[in-house]
Amino acid sequence: MDLFLKNKSVIVTAGSKGLGRAIATEFAREGATVLIASRDEKNLQETVASIKKETANENVTYIVCDVKDPDAIKAMVKKASDWNGTVDILINNAGGPPAGKFLDMADEDWYHAFELNLLSFIRTTREVVPFMKKQQRGHIVNIASSSIKQSLDNLVLSNTMRPGIVGLSKSLSQELGGDNILINAVGPGTIETDRISELNQHRASEQGISVEEVKTKAEQLVPMNRYGQPAEFAKAIVFLASGANTYITGQSLIVDGGLIKAL
Ligand SMILES: NC(=O)c1ccc[n+]([C@@H]2O[C@H](COP(=O)([O-])OP(=O)(O)OC[C@H]3O[C@@H](n4cnc5c(N)ncnc54)[C@H](OP(=O)(O)O)[C@@H]3O)[C@@H](O)[C@H]2O)c1
């Protein structure tokens, strides 16, 4: 199947590690022109070098961008559009919000999670949509969490903010379908990244058990008996954001090895 990704202009936010890095790698493998963004320049440099080496695609670059900073978002989209003349594909992603329960969270925690996990998607989308409208074509995939289908223990910030991504994606699919701009949300179940290691450490110290035990117990809950790998997640994103996807929009997909039982 041709994914029609050669020379397409792609932005992947939070692209230096974990899911974002895997997504950027798969786009590069398909011949796209990829801009990744996150906060740590050294990680970004290493990731760009590694993606170039792995995919033999030289059209990969980075910009330092904290997605909580609206000016940095503008600079990121300007860099991609100056480089390629447009933005064809946006993958909205960000770091995860802190773990914790409702009474652990003060106003500043809620503002932080809103800015990081919802407002950043809104701001970045606002910058790219004019390019997509102009060319009457575009794909946006918003990375959420399985908490869009089933709330997660001890993650009240995620359980509250991520469903907003679904509402945003659905609204945009209605407003922008006529411009041939397709928007979907994808929630990872448990995909083996640093984020999962951090959450497992948190759970281990809460429950007084080892991190290995937390992992084994979690894997036993997955019908496929294992965590997912970032590349497995990335392939779903790349298909949804590709020219091969011409009619799936406004949907929420969970990539979780069968973990979530909700319909
Ligand atoms: N992995 C899973 O199974 C899973 C499950 C549910 C939800 N999620 C969600 O999916 C998203 C990605 O997760 P992951 O597993 O890939 O996490 P990860 O491995 O910890 O990577 C997080 C990435 O986000 C970047 N980042 C963090 N804060 C940022 C900011 N303010 N501005 C720009 N970039 C920022 C990090 O780079 P810098 O720190 O250098 O900025 C890094 O590149 C998170 O929101 C996570 O909560 C993941």
Side-chain angles (χ1 to χ4, degrees):
M1 178 168 50
D2 193 340
L3 295 175
F4 303 101
L5 285 169
K6 295 235 163 12
N7 302 319
K8 286 288 179 298
S9 172
V10 181
I11 297 176
V12 182
T13 60
S16 66
K17 280 173 38 181
L19 304 180
R21 177 184 174 135
I23 293 164
T25 304
E26 295 308 318
F27 277 119
R29 212 186 295 289
E30 294 298 327
T33 296
V34 185
L35 174 68
I36 63 170
S38 62
R39 294 168 302 173
D40 184 308
E41 183 157 24
K42 196 160 163 281
N43 278 347
L44 284 162
Q45 285 168 342
E46 281 168 10
T47 299
V48 166
S50 152
I51 294 176
K52 283 182 176 176
K53 194 167 168 214
E54 186 180 334
T55 64
N57 181 345
E58 283 301 309
N59 292 323
V60 183
T61 192
Y62 73 87
I63 186 166
V64 175
C65 171
D66 181 339
V67 294
K68 286 176 72 180
D69 175 350
D71 292 333
I73 287 174
K74 285 188 175 141
M76 171 181 70
V77 174
K78 184 172 186 316
K79 178 158 182 170
S81 57
D82 285 353
W83 187 27
N84 299 302
T86 190
V87 179
D88 297 297
I89 295 166
L90 168 65
I91 309 300
N92 272 318
N93 185 31
K101 294 190 167 60
F102 180 71
L103 290 178
D104 301 332
M105 301 302 166
D107 278 1
E108 54 264 35
D109 301 308
W110 288 99
Y111 283 123
H112 167 72
F114 171 62
E115 282 193 297
L116 181 64
N117 296 112
L118 191 52
L119 190 55
S120 71
F121 287 25
I122 293 165
R123 285 173 169 154
T124 312
T125 301
R126 193 160 51 210
E127 293 303 312
V128 304
V129 161
F131 291 103
M132 294 179 172
K133 271 187 162 240
K134 191 168 171 209
Q135 65 188 16
Q136 290 290 289
R137 175 173 43 80
H139 286 85
I140 300 172
V141 179
N142 293 322
I143 309 302
S145 159
S146 61
S147 63
I148 61 178
K149 292 278 186 197
Q150 180 174 293
S151 68
L152 298 167
D153 290 346
N154 207 32
L155 278 164
V156 69
L157 296 175
S158 173
N159 294 337
T160 307
M161 296 304 158
R162 311 291 198 179
I165 295 173
V166 175
L168 173 69
S169 305
K170 186 60 99 174
S171 277
L172 287 168
S173 71
Q174 306 303 295
E175 283 188 32
L176 300 173
D179 295 300
N180 201 26
I181 302 171
L182 287 72
I183 302 101
N184 292 286
V186 182
T190 315
I191 313 292
E192 205 158 13
T193 65
D194 289 356
R195 165 76 174 168
I196 294 304
S197 305
E198 283 159 24
L199 290 174
N200 282 353
Q201 272 158 21
H202 197 273
R203 286 178 188 129
S205 61
E206 262 205 330
Q207 295 169 28
I209 59 175
S210 71
V211 175
E212 290 69 35
E213 271 181 275
V214 172
K215 183 178 177 199
T216 305
K217 279 166 75 178
E219 285 183 321
Q220 283 166 352
L221 294 175
V222 183
M224 293 186 74
N225 293 315
R226 62 177 177 87
Y227 284 170
Q229 291 306 310
E232 296 178 288
F233 181 79
K235 288 188 174 83
I237 307 300
V238 168
F239 168 72
L240 282 174
S242 76
N245 173 21
T246 52
Y247 208 54
I248 303 171
T249 189
Q251 300 306 305
S252 305
L253 173 71
I254 303 289
V255 179
D256 68 347
L259 175 66
I260 301 300
K261 295 191 179 74
L263 297 177

